[in-house]
Amino acid sequence: MLRIACLVVALLTATVTHADDLSARDGWMVVPTGKSHDQLVSDVKAAVKENGLIVVTQAGPTKAAAARGITIPGNRVIGVFNNDFAVRVLATSTAAMIEAPVRFYVTENADGTATLSYKTPSFVFAPYTEGGTELLAIAQELDSRFDAIAKAAASSQ
């Protein structure tokens, strides 16, 4: 019984600490970089500000896991939006505001580099058809800003 318990603990630890790096999927942009996790997080925040959006939320399990004695790769979700977009989205669809803030995802890769990922705003807001062409136009405007943010964050030194 002790052998089985040890095997289960070993398998769970391996699963939690060694997940695969992110890869492309429908509706996502995935931008591998040569930067460290901490540097990419910092560069994303700076690029968000430079592109007229605001960091509204941040969350990540890395530090809390470390406090529990568990080492996991760097992992941060950064929610961005601004009040102008919020008011405009609400004018088209109350339900669509559940998607705000729209998020960037910074993950540390096995080799110590970091990847920036995000669901495109057009993909995020696509289910809210009641918003019509106005919501589509807002989402496309956000797509442009998210693209600019990703390019700036991935390339800045």
Side-chain angles (χ1 to χ4, degrees), residues 26-29 102-103 117-124 143 146:
D26 189 36
W28 286 52
M29 298 299 296
V102 183
R103 300 170 308 271
S117 306
Y118 62 96
K119 292 180 185 178
T120 64
S122 291
F123 182 79
V124 170
D143 284 348
F146 269 59

Side-chain angles (χ1 to χ4, degrees), residues 11-54:
L11 288 173
L12 287 175
T13 303
T15 302
V16 171
T17 60
H18 301 298
D20 293 335
D21 295 344
L22 281 176
S23 59
R25 57 189 65 221
D26 189 36
W28 286 52
M29 298 299 296
V30 178
V31 184
T33 74
K35 297 182 178 193
S36 71
H37 177 265
D38 290 344
Q39 184 63 56
L40 186 55
V41 167
S42 178
D43 290 346
V44 168
K45 291 180 193 177
V48 165
K49 185 176 181 179
E50 290 168 11
N51 284 278
L53 295 175
I54 299 166

